[in-house]
Each structure stands twice: as C-alpha cells, then as structure tokens.
Amino acid sequence: MKKSIYIALLFLSCLLNAQNRDDLKLRIETEKSEFEKVQSRYFDLVINSETLLFKDKKDGRYSYYSKAKYDSLTRNQSNDSMIVKNSILKIPVGKNEYYIMKTGNLRTENYEFYKYKEDKLVSIERSNSVSQLYSKDNFVELTKDSFCGSSQCLYPYTSVKYAQLDNGKQFSNVLYSMQVSQQDMVSEHFYDKDFPLDQKTLLKIFISKFRKQALPLMKQIKYIRQHGSTYKTFDSKDAAYEADLLQPKIMARYRAESEIDDVKNSNFNLNIRREVELRKEYDSSDHPYYKLSVSIDMKSWKFKINSASGDLEEIEYFLLYE
C-alpha cells in the first residue's frame, strides 16, 4: 500500500514538473517571438527613415532619434529635455505602450529594448544574435526570464521570481527559480522556504558568528595578515583583528539592506552592495547556503553560511594583488 502511494505521488510530481516545464518554455518562446517582431519593426524603421544617432550623457548608451521630429522641435525652440523625450524613435505596441532602444556598443549587437506604458518603464528585453541570448526583466511581475540558444548552455530556459526592487531599481530578494536543462530536466529552487534567515538578520549577527567560529575553519588555511608579513597559524588575536576590520563594511551593508540611508546616498548603497556581496546559492547537492564575499584591506574573504542558522560553514581567504 505504501509503495503504491509513493509511486502515485512520484507520478504526480513528474506530471506537475512536466507541465511547469512546458508552460515555462512556451512563455519564454512566446516572449522571444514577440520581441523579435518588435526588433524587426524597429530596425526596418531605422533603415527606411531619416534618423539621428545620439549618445546619452547620463547612461552612455546610444539611441536613434527621428530627424524630422528633432528638427521640428529644435525650430520651435523646445528645451533639450523635451526634444530628447519626444524625438527618440519609438515603436508603438498597444494603447499608450511603446518601445525604445538603447545600446552601449553598436558593434557588439547588445541591444536593450525598454518597454513603457503611459511613460512608465514596465520591462527591459535584451538580445544578442551572435551569442544567441535573450532575456526579459519584467518590472510589473518582478520576474526575469532568459533563453540561451547555444549548445554550450547547461540551462536553455531560466525564470526567476523576485520579491521587490531595491533603491537602485534592481531586482532584490529572489523567491523562486526554475531552470530547464538541455535534456529537458527541471530544476526548481524555493528560496523563500530554503532561506528562513533573512539577509538583514544574517548581516546583523555575522561579526558575532565570525568571532566565535572563524578559528576552527581557518586552521587548514594558510594565513598571512598583510602584504610583507609571514604566513602563520590563524589564532584568536587574528580573529579579533580581522573581525574589527570587517565590522564597518558589514554594518554598512546592513544599513544599505535596511535602507537606513537617505535616497541621496543611493550611490553609497550601490557601492557597498558591490563591495560586500551577499547571494543565495545552492551547492552540487542542492543544499542552500548564503555566499558572503568581502574585499577589504587588500584581502578577499568568501564565506559559506548556513541559510537557517547563520553559522559559518566554510571560509576562503587570500591576499589581493594590484
């Protein structure tokens, strides 16, 4: 009886995975197909219209502009911001919906198409015909879908769901992901369940955990305190010394994560997120863990941290060289 129930549950699980897999592949294929139509319309318009190519001073990206609209607005002595806003080349796709294109390098074919609805950004789609890559960031659904057509890609289809956008308008706090492999196998990760310890709490308790747990984990690692000194066995004094160095960086990232700093310090928040990188990862056995990377005082620290308790599980340490 138990065996029959197990077989039935296994069959149901396989059936649901197959359905989810097919739904994901169909959605991404549909998004990609619709985007290719928009892209084709856009470049047909560029070829068949008189356009101008300008580089935006703010983001350093190129866009095409309608010369007729640009000249008309210039003659009417409109201000620069109105000229740029109203003469940029647009592809309408629905009521009050349109796409514009930006690219950082015209030679690499890395095109980004920004979709707006009532002048509000709703998605960014990217493509590269050479690398056979396509992706879509949906700022309404808070999802990121991607496709890779190369046979070298382990997972051609990927979809990730996020909880929110941070102050820098970047996706934050991943909730769920699904990947479909070349062999049509499904890999699912439920981050909201697998990471019960939230990132703010982890950062808040990290230094305390480091002071207590770093010593045994560093015993097998060659330790050198700084350039010019000699290698030695990591001891309690070293743990205290390194904890004091790490603490300001960790707490700065905590403030950024907690959005304590004002909007005027948004650049600070973005920089500290790069300097103190905290990511949710899974190992080869699908065991969830936090990966914390910190570079400070010409040293690189990488920590594998338990996703439920915040305990340190592994440490990598080495000096950086210019």
Side-chain angles (χ1 to χ4, degrees):
M1 181 67 177
K2 289 183 178 179
K3 186 176 181 181
S4 298
I5 294 174
Y6 172 78
I7 293 173
L9 290 174
L10 182 62
F11 175 77
L12 179 61
S13 175
C14 292
L15 186 65
L16 291 173
N17 276 344
Q19 182 179 351
N20 291 340
R21 175 198 65 204
D22 293 341
D23 289 346
L24 173 65
K25 291 173 66 175
L26 178 61
R27 185 179 79 238
I28 294 178
E29 289 287 357
T30 301
E31 290 172 345
K32 182 172 174 289
S33 177
E34 292 300 316
F35 171 70
E36 287 171 348
K37 293 177 184 177
V38 171
Q39 196 175 26
S40 179
R41 286 174 57 198
Y42 185 89
F43 288 113
D44 282 346
L45 185 60
V46 171
I47 292 171
N48 296 312
S49 305
E50 194 172 4
T51 59
L52 301 169
L53 182 64
F54 287 144
K55 183 177 183 180
D56 192 307
K57 293 180 180 178
K58 292 182 179 179
D59 59 22
R61 298 181 182 277
Y62 296 93
S63 296
Y64 287 100
Y65 294 78
S66 166
K67 187 176 186 303
K69 288 185 178 179
Y70 182 87
D71 290 344
S72 175
L73 291 169
T74 302
R75 283 195 298 270
N76 291 332
Q77 298 181 338
S78 298
N79 62 55
D80 290 344
S81 61
M82 288 298 296
I83 292 174
V84 169
K85 179 179 178 180
N86 293 316
S87 65
I88 194 168
L89 208 60
K90 300 176 182 177
I91 294 293
V93 290
K95 186 177 181 181
N96 297 322
E97 290 184 314
Y98 61 90
Y99 280 90
I100 66 169
M101 186 279 292
K102 294 186 178 185
T103 180
N105 190 328
L106 295 169
R107 296 180 181 179
T108 60
E109 298 186 14
N110 287 322
Y111 300 115
E112 296 183 347
F113 281 74
Y114 292 64
K115 184 179 181 181
Y116 291 85
K117 184 171 184 177
E118 296 176 347
D119 291 334
K120 181 180 179 180
L121 180 65
V122 295
S123 68
I124 301 176
E125 293 176 77
R126 302 174 177 88
S127 73
N128 188 300
S129 57
V130 177
S131 57
Q132 302 180 63
L133 295 175
Y134 164 78
S135 68
K136 179 178 181 178
D137 295 352
N138 188 320
F139 298 110
V140 177
E141 300 295 332
L142 298 180
T143 56
K144 182 188 288 284
D145 291 344
S146 60
F147 170 81
C148 179
S150 170
S151 60
Q152 301 299 315
C153 291
L154 183 61
Y155 296 101
Y157 300 89
T158 300
S159 182
V160 184
K161 171 72 174 178
Y162 295 86
Q164 62 195 38
L165 295 174
D166 62 24
N167 279 342
K169 303 300 181 183
Q170 300 295 312
F171 289 126
S172 176
N173 193 9
V174 59
L175 296 176
Y176 168 81
S177 73
M178 175 184 280
Q179 297 172 304
V180 180
S181 71
Q182 293 281 4
Q183 294 74 35
D184 247 10
M185 299 297 291
V186 175
S187 174
E188 284 186 287
H189 289 143
F190 297 87
Y191 292 82
D192 53 340
K193 296 178 181 178
D194 293 341
F195 292 83
L197 183 70
D198 66 90
Q199 296 187 169
K200 287 188 292 184
T201 303
L202 182 147
L203 291 164
K204 193 172 184 178
I205 66 176
F206 173 78
I207 293 299
S208 175
K209 295 284 187 181
F210 181 89
R211 292 182 188 276
K212 295 176 182 178
Q213 300 171 355
L215 194 58
L217 293 172
M218 287 291 290
K219 279 188 176 180
Q220 303 302 319
I221 298 176
K222 293 177 67 176
Y223 174 73
I224 182 170
R225 181 173 286 194
Q226 58 191 13
H227 291 275
S229 59
T230 57
Y231 286 98
K232 64 185 294 291
T233 301
F234 190 82
D235 58 30
S236 58
K237 291 183 179 179
D238 297 315
Y241 174 82
E242 297 293 355
D244 289 342
L245 280 179
L246 287 166
Q247 187 167 11
K249 286 285 187 183
I250 297 297
M251 293 315 297
R253 174 61 199 260
Y254 172 78
R255 292 197 303 274
E257 197 71 30
S258 305
E259 298 183 353
I260 292 173
D261 296 280
D262 297 333
V263 175
K264 65 182 180 181
N265 290 323
S266 59
N267 288 333
F268 163 79
N269 288 347
L270 292 173
N271 289 335
I272 199 63
R273 287 174 189 275
R274 285 191 287 264
E275 294 172 9
V276 182
E277 185 179 8
L278 182 59
R279 298 175 59 181
K280 297 174 180 178
E281 302 277 1
Y282 289 83
D283 62 20
S284 57
S285 301
D286 251 10
H287 173 73
Y289 68 94
Y290 276 108
K291 180 179 180 180
L292 176 64
S293 302
V294 187
S295 295
I296 183 172
D297 195 30
M298 295 300 291
K299 305 168 186 177
S300 174
W301 291 92
K302 297 183 187 299
F303 303 94
K304 182 178 180 181
I305 303 174
N306 187 283
S307 63
S309 66
D311 290 333
L312 308 188
E313 295 181 343
E314 293 179 13
I315 297 178
E316 294 180 39
Y317 168 84
F318 52 89
L319 294 184
L320 298 173
Y321 295 87
E322 292 182 334

